[in-house]
Amino acid sequence: MKGLILSEEYYHQFGTKMIEELFPKYKERVAAGLVGDGSECYGFDDEISRDHDWGPGFCLWLTKEDYQEIGPELHSAYEQLPKKFLGFQRLQTEQGKGRVGVFEMGEFYRKFIGTSHAPKSFKAWFYLREEAASACVNGRVFFDPLGEFSHVRDELLAFYPEDVRLLKIAGLCITCGQAGQYNFMRSVKRREHFAARYAETKFCADIMSLVFLLNRRYAPFYKWRHRALLTLPTLGGFLHQEIGEVIDTSDNSLKNAVIEEISAAVVAEFKKQGVSESTSDFLADHATAIQRRLSDPNLKEAKLWR
């Protein structure tokens, strides 16, 4: 049983009846679903996930006005729903409170991205954390008669503006090139073992973020990032396998070879998407070429190297 399926069935069996019987005037105003924190929101939950903050439960989202009118009462009614469903019971920890239940829409989004709406400026989009945005667009909306909750969600799903996407890709080209293609083997040769492991991990983490950007998808929390690669149509399966090789082998020469294979595949995708005309095989060299693609003249001159 996957948590997302369990949640939807629990909502349809108990949630809809609760709203229709106790809050009939609001039945066409309350949005419902399961979105946010938790492996079940990504469909990545398994038997290990069930030991905490997993089980029957769902989110109910109200407009600010409706929340002021019925929020506490709806929350109280939600808390009275059966604790067990299809043989499962939610084991909630102190840290896991607030993942399901009744929410004011704006506050729900504000918890993740700091505002009740999608970013409005370049700066706000640029500083929007990918894992926070990912948590706002995962899971499933079961019912949204007003469409207000889904409106913000859809704006986020439309992804970063192109200048933001390209600038982020350019920045990651630098960190991936520095960590993986430049510093990894230099650290190995110097027997700087911590630096080598850090460079390896930094490359893997940042190259995954870069490939999510190439797919116009937000990278999730690091715990699920590698697995989530398998959901990406562009380079996802390839990168999942290649990073697995980097992590699994103790042969540093093989690690270096795989890092170069990954870098070459990313460069080839740059050319396919038309984001860089550079012919270099060093990722950092593509940063300036990508930056020249930006439409904002001021951003074309921004300093990428730190």
Side-chain angles (χ1 to χ4, degrees), residues 151-203:
H151 176 72
V152 179
R153 182 176 163 94
D154 290 343
E155 285 187 310
L156 290 169
L157 279 167
F159 207 59
Y160 295 114
E162 186 64 358
D163 269 8
V164 174
R165 185 181 83 103
L166 292 177
L167 195 58
K168 285 179 174 287
I169 289 173
L172 288 169
C173 280
I174 293 173
T175 60
C176 290
Q178 281 182 322
Q181 293 178 284
Y182 183 76
N183 281 322
F184 173 67
M185 280 307 292
R186 290 169 72 88
S187 298
V188 168
K189 291 173 182 177
R190 289 176 172 142
R191 301 184 64 79
E192 293 283 354
H193 302 303
F194 169 78
R197 295 292 84 79
Y198 184 88
E200 171 191 333
T201 303
K202 176 70 172 172
F203 172 81

Side-chain angles (χ1 to χ4, degrees), residues 12 59 72 87 90 99 101 116 135 137 160 162 204 229 234 236 281:
H12 285 303
C59 301
R90 189 173 192 86
R99 292 188 176 185
S116 61
V137 300
Y160 295 114
E162 186 64 358
C204 290
L229 288 172
T234 300
D281 58 1

Side-chain angles (χ1 to χ4, degrees), residues 1 22 42 99 103 127 178-179 206-207 229 260 265 270 288:
M1 172 64 74
L22 302 180
Y42 291 99
R99 292 188 176 185
F103 304 91
Y127 287 107
Q178 281 182 322
D206 284 4
I207 205 72
L229 288 172
E260 291 298 337
F270 287 165
T288 302

Side-chain angles (χ1 to χ4, degrees), residues 28-44:
E28 293 301 320
R29 299 187 61 82
V30 181
L34 185 66
V35 177
D37 293 318
S39 57
E40 66 273 26
C41 295
Y42 291 99
F44 296 155

Side-chain angles (χ1 to χ4, degrees), residues 173 267 270 276 278-291:
C173 280
V267 169
F270 287 165
S276 173
S278 174
T279 58
S280 174
D281 58 1
F282 184 43
L283 283 169
D285 288 342
H286 289 264
T288 302
I290 293 171
Q291 192 175 11

